[in-house]
Amino acid sequence: MMNIEEYVRVSSCSEAYEILNSVNGSAILGGCGYLRMGNRAISKGIDLSLLGLNQIIETDSDIEIGAMTSLRDIETNPILKNNFNGSLCDCMENIVGIQLRSIVTIGGTVAGRYPFSDVLPVLMALGADVVLTGAGRVSLEDFMDGKHKSDVVEKIIIPKTSERVAYKSVRNSLVDYAILNCVIALSDGEYKVVVGARPQKAIRATKCEAFLKGKELTEEIAEEAAKIVADELSFGDNVRGSAEYRKAVCVTLIKRALVGGAE
Ligand SMILES: Cc1cc2nc3c(=O)[nH]c(=O)nc-3n(C[C@H](O)[C@H](O)[C@H](O)COP(=O)(O)OP(=O)(O)OC[C@H]3O[C@@H](n4cnc5c(N)ncnc54)[C@H](O)[C@@H]3O)c2cc1C
């Protein structure tokens, strides 16, 4: 159970950043879905809910999602349903249930860098950036490497360049954590291929991406590409599945994502 000694509703992201970096043990409060699962003693809980960071805005080139936007608002948003083959909406549907998804936020999801995440692989494949109060705009891929730990996530920016996106996952039961998830996204003629819940953090399969460059997608090419992904990435064991099982599932999911496309 988390324990919050003091609570503050800030009036700007700069105020949040200042507290986060000056008060030992302080933490930004997203939806607190994950925070409350631990035993963290929080000296000062920083609430961003007055800052209007729960908007989804479409511009000519991008879609911007404020950090306090709930996963349910993303899942049901018409702009996001009409972009990226609805993949950012689809990847939400097995995350526990509507009640949890109505509370937990995209800011907490990104800041948490959870290796089991269904959302982060999709954002990575879409080439998303993260806007931080201190460091400014950085790529999600760099952010996932563990930099910028004491910063405030303000919003996520997704370029509208992906023409074809497919998300696939496999689970032991509908609302359990994924055993593995895979995303492919085609942008400007080039594929991004991302695999998450290996159970290590999501990662791009760059050898497969290079292999797919300039190739016309056939069943055979998809099969070969899927095998390249399974060979180039490492997989691990946990209670949900063995490394061997994950590797086998990876071939199937990538092939389905490539040839099945946006189902
Ligand atoms: C029971 C349970 C099951 C889940 N199952 C899945 C699943 O199957 N698939 C999946 O993808 N996800 C799953 N999740 C994760 C969930 O989708 C969210 O990603 C997670 O709860 C974090 O979001 P939050 O808003 O609750 O963040 P919080 O718990 O509030 O915060 C998480 C961390 O991020 C920090 N933080 C929050 N907001 C910001 C910000 N704006 N800037 C900087 N730091 C910030 C907090 O200080 C904390 O360290 C599950 C969560 C729970 C509780």
Side-chain angles (χ1 to χ4, degrees), residues 20 26-37 40 42 48 53 67-68 71 91 94-96 100-101 103-112 114 116-120 132 143 149 151-154 171 175-178 181:
L20 191 62
S26 60
I28 307 284
L29 309 174
C32 294
Y34 225 75
L35 270 177
R36 81 179 64 198
M37 303 245 296
R40 196 161 155 191
I42 298 172
L48 308 178
L53 295 176
M68 291 298 281
L71 298 193
C91 74
N94 296 115
I95 301 178
V96 186
L100 184 94
R101 300 201 294 275
I103 293 168
V104 298
T105 62
I106 193 72
T109 298
V110 168
Y114 305 107
F116 57 77
S117 177
D118 294 294
V119 184
L120 294 172
L132 302 166
F143 183 82
K149 285 229 161 90
D151 216 324
V152 180
V153 176
E154 294 186 9
R171 304 169 123 81
V175 295
D176 195 7
Y177 291 110
N181 52 40

Side-chain angles (χ1 to χ4, degrees), residues 195-211:
V195 180
R198 299 172 295 125
Q200 304 94 320
K201 69 171 182 158
I203 191 168
R204 276 175 65 189
T206 50
K207 282 188 187 157
C208 173
E209 290 175 0
F211 167 78

Side-chain angles (χ1 to χ4, degrees), residues 2 41 64 78 106 163 168 194 263:
M2 68 176 176
E64 301 186 359
I106 193 72
E163 302 135 35
K168 304 282 171 199
V194 182
E263 288 161 14

Side-chain angles (χ1 to χ4, degrees), residues 1-113:
M1 190 66 158
M2 68 176 176
N3 184 9
I4 302 175
E5 264 176 54
E6 213 186 314
Y7 164 87
V8 57
R9 258 184 175 177
V10 290
S11 53
S12 69
C13 288
S14 316
E15 187 188 349
Y17 182 82
E18 165 64 27
I19 297 169
L20 191 62
N21 285 282
S22 60
V23 179
N24 230 347
S26 60
I28 307 284
L29 309 174
C32 294
Y34 225 75
L35 270 177
R36 81 179 64 198
M37 303 245 296
N39 286 323
R40 196 161 155 191
I42 298 172
S43 59
K44 201 166 202 172
I46 307 163
D47 183 351
L48 308 178
S49 62
L50 289 180
L51 307 184
L53 295 176
N54 57 348
Q55 314 275 325
I56 299 173
I57 297 166
E58 184 172 21
T59 68
D60 286 346
S61 54
D62 304 301
I63 294 174
E64 301 186 359
I65 308 177
M68 291 298 281
T69 308
S70 74
L71 298 193
R72 180 64 179 163
D73 281 348
I74 292 173
E75 182 183 4
T76 55
N77 183 268
I79 298 170
L80 290 167
K81 278 183 189 278
N82 285 331
N83 279 278
F84 321 127
N85 299 116
S87 56
L88 197 53
C89 308
D90 294 346
C91 74
M92 306 292 179
E93 74 176 357
N94 296 115
I95 301 178
V96 186
I98 289 174
Q99 283 180 331
L100 184 94
R101 300 201 294 275
S102 300
I103 293 168
V104 298
T105 62
I106 193 72
T109 298
V110 168
R113 300 176 173 89

Side-chain angles (χ1 to χ4, degrees), residues 223-244:
E223 175 100 41
E224 210 176 327
K227 285 182 185 154
I228 292 172
V229 178
D231 284 339
E232 74 170 295
L233 301 184
S234 62
F235 301 88
D237 303 314
N238 70 3
V239 287
R240 292 184 175 77
S242 65
E244 198 185 353

Side-chain angles (χ1 to χ4, degrees), residues 138-153:
V138 300
S139 77
L140 175 63
E141 271 190 75
D142 282 350
F143 183 82
M144 291 281 287
D145 278 345
K147 294 170 207 146
H148 315 298
K149 285 229 161 90
S150 282
D151 216 324
V152 180
V153 176

